[in-house]
């Protein structure tokens, strides 16, 4: 097993004449927090869908968690987690039922679920709310719960699609602490975001413009290359070149 | 399997926690079957009738031609034995049989009195009632005409029999109709809405990323509704037997089997709708306008299909409920077996394969 959790080589997706993702190549290391940035319509979501086995690439090569995206997408699915901006929890189920359901569709055993649910709830300080409906939780808690649910089955890699949308800065900071903990435990984190302060928290950042990866480096390296004081400035310099308009 | 079960369990949580859903699923069928007690009168045109003419004389011949000349009737067949009456009804085409006893004309000439018997298929009481009324009016007309120039009046008495539903109960008509409606509502609309809700909430995305196969996701969502439908079928049949006095005359097993088939057709329609609709409102709208209205209007439950203009009659053929309605009426009310409804069963099976195939294909396209 190599230490590369994602290897993409000239990965391309076309919809008719439109090239949504244009021959992107990059690698993500084990335990890394990889920021995947780009303006709306730059092709982030399409790239992520290909890597998570939801969409077949048109051409190029890619392996995720050591499995080929063309032939082994079922195996990929077993080894990844996914969380989107919508949090994807069932509001009319309790905290415990949500955990049990998502762990259940990953085929985890009842004893594993029972044991780990206790640990996770304790970590989140949600032990007292285990049997409350998710509806009744504040947004920040839902978000943390959604993340814990996404990595409950102990995936090698977790995709976070704008996980902090609509959340206040304090809660976002707390959320990033969870991400660091996950990365420290060996889970690779692949995250898209529109918040440039969050980009600074990543180990490495790629910036997509018009379906291509225009820059890929550590936040510090990017700032140096583009002679910028912040990631915000780096992003603006790159994104302004975009021809495509946001969708 | 474990995945699947935890999914089904979650689905039941959704259902049992939403009072409105529960109401639609379980209380509405009961309410409908109790409320739908009224009967509608309908005009009937070109109904097929059978004639058993045992005298074959001038009088019967002119009566038959009078019946045929009216726009209400069309002589479909001549029969020659009592057994054939039931047989022709069970085939479903003939709605009324007119029976002339032997020596009709002789009786009329010598005793000034003769008898005609009208036997109607009353599994659809509205139609049966209308048909016998029309037929006796025509016979009465004929009687008055031949009496005109005579001192002694001729009397032709018509004796009527309502087959299958002697009391002309409306319940015989609406129980099969409500069964079709309820199953369609529960299976098509609720299934479509619940799948589209997952799309709206973004949970569908998460499940598609999970190792669970897309088709199993959809199947797991459908299973609870299938189970609830069985509850509904049972409660409707029990209500109709013990509250409305509509017995199941045919094989209960066959009736349940056919209902199961129709449930599956409705489910696959629900899946098809959900694969196209992006919001719960759209799903609801398509289910109501595209499924529910045609079921009420075109299945023959409210308005006899025989009376509709050709284009509507043609359209009614693609309404699954029409076929199910015919089957339930035959099996439940007339007490016939599979040999009389195999054609309808085949049509429903064909629809199941078609809609399910289309739904699976649509689902796959979405993922590509």
């Amino acid at each position: 097993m190599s230490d590369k959790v994602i290897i993409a080589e000239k990965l391309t997706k076309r919809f008719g004449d439109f090239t949504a993702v244009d021959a992107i190549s990059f690698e993500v290391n084990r335990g890394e927090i990889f920021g995947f940035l780009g303006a709306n319509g730059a092709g982030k979501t399409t790239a992520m869908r290909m890597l998570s086995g939801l969409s077949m690439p048109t051409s190029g090569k890619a392996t995720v968690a050591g499995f080929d995206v063309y032939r082994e997408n079922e195996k990929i699915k077993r080894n990844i987690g996914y969380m989107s901006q919508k949090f994807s929890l069932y509001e009319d189920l309790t905290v415990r039922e949500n955990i049990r359901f998502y762990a259940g569709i990953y085929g985890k055993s009842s004893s594993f679920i029972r044991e780990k649910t206790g640990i996770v709830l304790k970590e989140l300080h949600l032990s007292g709310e285990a049997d409350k409906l998710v509806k009744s939780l504040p947004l920040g808690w839902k978000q943390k719960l959604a993340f814990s649910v996404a990595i409950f089955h102990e995936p090698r890699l977790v995709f976070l699609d704008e996980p902090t949308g609509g959340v206040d800065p304090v809660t976002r900071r707390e959320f990033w602490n969870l991400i660091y903990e996950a990365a420290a435990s060996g889970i690779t984190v692949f995250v898209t975001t529109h918040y440039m302060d969050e980009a600074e928290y990543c180990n490495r950042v790629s910036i997509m413009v018009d379906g291509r990866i225009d820059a890929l480096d550590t936040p510090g390296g990017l700032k140096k290359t583009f002679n910028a004081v912040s990631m915000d400035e780096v992003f603006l310099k790159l994104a302004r070149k975009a021809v495509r308009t946001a969708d | 399997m474990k995945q699947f079960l935890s999914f089904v369990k979650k689905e039941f949580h959704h259902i049992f926690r939403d009072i409105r859903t529960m109401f639609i699923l379980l209380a509405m069928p009961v309410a409908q079957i109790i409320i739908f007690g009224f009967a509608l009168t309908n005009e009937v045109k070109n109904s097929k009738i059978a004639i058993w003419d045992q005298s074959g004389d001038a009088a019967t011949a002119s009566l038959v031609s009078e019946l045929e000349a009216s726009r209400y009737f069309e002589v479909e067949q001549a029969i020659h034995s009592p057994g054939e009456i039931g047989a022709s009804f069970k085939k479903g085409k003939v709605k009324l049989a007119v029976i002339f006893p032997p020596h009709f004309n002789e009786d009329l000439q010598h005793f000034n009195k003769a008898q005609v018997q009208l036997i109607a298929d009353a599994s659809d009481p509205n139609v049966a009632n209308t048909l016998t009324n029309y037929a006796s009016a025509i016979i009465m007309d004929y009687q008055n005409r031949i009496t005109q120039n005579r001192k002694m009046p001729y009397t032709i008495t018509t004796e009527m029999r309502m087959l299958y539903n002697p009391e002309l109960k409306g319940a015989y008509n609406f129980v099969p109709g409500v069964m079709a409606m309820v199953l369609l509502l529960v299976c098509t609309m609720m299934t479509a809405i619940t799948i589209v809700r997952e799309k709206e909430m973004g949970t569908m995305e998460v499940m598609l990323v999970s190792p669970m196969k897309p088709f199993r996701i959809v199947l797991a969502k459908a299973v609870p509704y299938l189970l609830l439908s069985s509850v509904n079928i049972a409660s409707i049949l029990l209500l109709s037997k013990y509250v409305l006095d509509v017995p199941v005359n045919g094989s209960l097993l066959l009736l349940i089997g056919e209902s199961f088939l129709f449930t599956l057709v409705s489910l696959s329609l629900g899946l098809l709708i959900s694969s196209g609709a992006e919001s719960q409102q759209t799903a609801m709208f398509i289910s109501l306008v595209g499924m529910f209205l045609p079921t009420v209007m075109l299945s023959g439950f409210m308005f006899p299909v025989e009376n509709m203009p050709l284009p509507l009659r043609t359209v009614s053929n693609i309404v699954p409920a029409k076929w199910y309605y015919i089957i339930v009426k035959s099996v439940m009310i007339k007490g016939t077996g599979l040999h009389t409804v195999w054609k309808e069963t085949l049509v429903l099976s064909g629809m199941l394969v078609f809609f399910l195939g289309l739904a699976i294909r649509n689902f796959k396209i979405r993922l590509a």
Side-chain angles (χ1 to χ4, degrees), chain A residues 120-238:
Chain A
V120 167
L121 289 178
K122 208 176 233 173
E123 276 172 8
L124 292 174
H125 306 293
L126 276 175
S127 300
E129 334 287 326
D131 295 310
K132 285 197 181 151
L133 295 184
V134 165
K135 212 181 335 208
S136 66
L137 299 183
L139 191 66
W141 287 14
K142 283 187 205 169
Q143 180 198 35
K144 285 184 229 162
L145 178 62
F147 180 69
S148 304
V149 165
I151 58 170
F152 191 90
H153 60 286
E154 301 173 347
R156 313 258 308 272
L157 166 72
V158 62
F159 288 97
L160 306 177
D161 191 1
E162 296 178 25
T164 52
V167 175
D168 67 77
V170 178
T171 316
R172 274 206 282 147
R173 188 62 248 207
E174 283 174 21
F175 185 71
W176 273 87
N177 286 337
L178 281 181
I179 294 181
Y180 276 119
E181 277 169 35
S185 75
I187 296 177
T188 307
V189 178
F190 187 97
V191 57
T192 74
T193 181
H194 283 306
Y195 298 106
M196 287 309 133
D197 57 325
E198 290 186 353
E200 310 261 6
Y201 303 151
C202 299
N203 299 126
R204 280 193 307 149
V205 169
S206 76
I207 299 179
M208 269 188 98
V209 179
D210 288 348
R212 292 179 312 276
I213 290 183
D214 270 17
L216 199 172
D217 204 343
T218 59
L222 284 175
K223 280 186 273 190
K224 215 157 137 196
T225 315
F226 289 90
N227 195 20
V229 290
S230 67
M231 277 304 294
D232 215 20
E233 209 181 323
V234 174
F235 187 76
L236 286 175
K237 277 186 174 169
L238 280 166

Side-chain angles (χ1 to χ4, degrees), chain B residues 219-284:
Chain B
L219 204 65
K221 288 207 75 81
V223 165
Y225 294 93
L226 193 65
L227 294 178
L228 286 174
S229 301
S230 336
V231 174
N232 282 331
I233 294 172
S235 65
I236 291 176
L237 289 181
L238 286 174
L239 271 175
S240 62
K241 179 158 181 178
Y242 293 107
V243 180
L244 302 166
D245 286 326
V246 182
V248 177
N249 287 326
S251 145
L252 185 63
L253 208 67
L254 178 63
L255 185 63
I256 289 173
E258 298 280 4
S259 302
F260 195 69
L261 176 64
F262 182 67
T263 307
L264 290 177
V265 174
S266 310
L267 278 175
S268 55
L269 277 170
L271 299 185
L272 187 61
I273 291 173
S274 72
S275 70
E278 288 303 325
S279 74
Q280 290 183 58
Q281 280 96 327
T282 318
M284 179 125 97

Side-chain angles (χ1 to χ4, degrees), chain B residues 48-160:
Chain B
K48 306 267 195 283
I49 59 173
I51 306 275
W52 185 13
D53 189 350
Q54 296 170 65
S55 22
D57 52 37
T60 59
S62 50
L63 254 175
V64 170
S65 68
E66 296 254 332
L67 285 172
E68 195 154 28
S70 80
R71 64 197 177 91
Y72 308 118
F73 301 112
E74 206 173 282
V75 177
E76 169 77 10
Q77 65 178 131
I79 48 182
H80 305 99
S81 73
E84 279 177 73
I85 301 172
S88 62
F89 282 155
K90 286 189 178 176
K91 260 190 252 157
K93 270 192 172 169
V94 171
K95 301 279 179 221
L96 180 78
V98 181
I99 295 144
F100 298 103
H103 321 299
F104 183 84
N105 201 18
E106 278 173 58
D107 287 352
L108 206 57
Q109 300 305 332
H110 296 158
F111 308 110
N112 291 330
K113 250 191 235 164
Q115 276 197 329
V116 187
Q117 191 184 27
L118 301 175
I119 301 180
D121 171 359
S123 59
D124 189 335
N126 298 327
V127 174
N129 223 343
T130 316
L131 287 181
T132 48
N133 283 341
Y134 287 164
S136 28
I138 291 169
I139 294 167
M140 203 54 92
D141 257 8
Y142 175 79
Q143 175 200 303
N144 293 342
R145 199 145 16 92
I146 55 173
T147 303
Q148 255 172 13
N149 306 319
R150 298 186 36 152
K151 279 186 216 129
M152 282 290 283
Y154 287 124
T155 325
I156 305 175
T157 35
T158 44
E159 188 209 310
M160 291 176 213

